[in-house]
Amino acid sequence: MGVEVFPLFHDRDFEAELNRLFPELEKVPVTFHEPYYQADHTAPEGSEVCERTDEMFQKTVRAAEKLKARHIVFHHNNCRVPDDPSLRAQMLERSCRQYRKAEEMAMQAGIPVLVENVGVHSRGNVLLDEEAFIRLCKEEKYPVLIDIGHTHANGWDIGHVCRELSGQIHAYHLHNNDGIHDSHRRIHDGTLDFDRFLRMVRDIGNPVDLVVEYAAQVEPDETGIRADLEELLKWAE
């Protein structure tokens, strides 16, 4: 069992806190999310957001290299997406270029960059629908991370997505929700049939990282979180 680090480099105190935790993090397997807050890969090149996103991603790679991270997670976008197809196409084109830059940067440290299915309709930030995501991942030969909460909130057929991309999936983000909101609740606290999902993963058969990704409001439920982790560890035996 390990830890996925969620970088907050926009917070001036975060880097010092991360460095303080290095001795503990070095004892366990580690993965890294990429910076989310104040970062977006669809921003025009040369813009303040683009420059800040690149800078924070560089910091993430340096930290990930020190901790010998298994992977870094990549979001094609974090911002709201306009209805205009031409603007959406421009956003996707920019973010695809940014992925290759990020990939090259991380490759020098020997760390794969996994593309996550991101955005939920309730927030208006879905850049790629189900078929577009599958098609892009296949065309670009991306290594993939599937966030099952996002698939559920968007009404995607999670079995279809996972079977289509089975040879490219390296990890899953695990959480549950009401089928609409990206609330990151515990694995059985929602309308997604989590046991069915686990059976599907086992049937596909490829080794993957299972990353529990809960919201801050779940944190006080230590007993419940422990129970979820024990269930997953038993399942993985």
Side-chain angles (χ1 to χ4, degrees):
M1 180 157 45
V3 174
E4 180 158 290
V5 178
F6 193 98
L8 303 172
F9 287 117
H10 67 288
D11 182 335
R12 68 178 65 184
D13 298 323
F14 175 76
E15 195 161 5
E17 180 67 8
L18 179 60
N19 289 335
R20 186 184 70 80
L21 292 171
F22 266 24
E24 293 301 314
L25 291 171
E26 286 172 340
K27 299 176 183 178
V28 297
V30 170
T31 63
F32 270 75
H33 204 286
E34 73 157 338
Y36 175 86
Y37 297 106
Q38 300 183 20
D40 197 283
H41 291 295
T42 66
E45 291 185 24
S47 68
E48 181 180 349
V49 174
C50 182
E51 296 296 328
R52 183 170 61 242
T53 301
D54 284 349
E55 179 183 354
M56 291 194 293
F57 194 89
Q58 289 171 4
K59 289 183 177 181
T60 301
V61 171
R62 288 197 293 268
E65 183 175 20
K66 289 178 183 177
L67 290 170
K68 299 179 175 60
R70 293 168 62 87
H71 66 249
I72 298 172
V73 181
F74 181 91
H75 281 199
H76 266 85
N77 72 293
N78 299 319
C79 65
R80 292 184 67 86
V81 178
D83 292 331
D84 187 324
S86 63
L87 294 178
R88 295 168 67 96
Q90 291 171 26
M91 292 173 68
L92 181 58
E93 183 179 357
R94 287 196 293 265
S95 64
C96 287
R97 287 199 302 267
Q98 288 298 108
Y99 173 80
R100 293 306 176 191
K101 286 174 59 178
E103 180 189 45
E104 183 177 359
M105 195 184 310
M107 192 181 298
Q108 295 175 11
I111 303 172
V113 180
L114 310 188
V115 171
E116 178 180 353
N117 57 304
V118 296
V120 290
H121 291 304
S122 61
R123 294 182 178 176
N125 61 349
V126 177
L127 182 60
L128 295 162
D129 64 20
E130 179 176 344
E131 292 305 322
F133 179 76
I134 292 171
R135 184 168 59 251
L136 181 67
C137 290
K138 286 184 174 181
E139 289 174 353
E140 297 293 329
K141 297 181 172 54
Y142 289 147
V144 174
L145 178 147
I146 296 297
D147 185 303
I148 66 171
H150 295 167
T151 63
H152 186 56
N154 289 329
W156 291 12
D157 182 340
I158 187 171
H160 172 67
V161 174
C162 294
R163 286 189 295 271
E164 285 291 314
L165 296 174
S166 61
Q168 296 170 241
I169 297 173
H170 292 245
Y172 293 93
H173 276 169
L174 308 181
H175 51 101
N176 212 323
N177 58 57
D178 61 0
I180 299 173
H181 304 98
D182 186 26
S183 49
H184 287 256
R185 285 148 46 176
R186 287 179 52 204
I187 53 177
H188 293 292
D189 182 16
T191 56
L192 170 69
D193 187 338
F194 187 76
D195 291 331
R196 182 181 179 187
F197 162 75
L198 284 181
R199 290 194 296 271
M200 181 201 66
V201 173
R202 178 160 283 166
D203 288 343
I204 290 174
N206 297 331
V208 291
D209 289 333
L210 300 177
V211 182
V212 173
E213 192 183 48
Y214 289 167
Q217 58 263 33
V218 180
E219 183 179 350
D221 187 6
E222 183 176 339
T223 300
I225 294 172
R226 285 181 178 273
D228 292 347
L229 294 177
E230 288 170 2
E231 176 185 344
L232 289 168
L233 286 170
K234 184 177 180 180
W235 176 87
E237 290 177 352

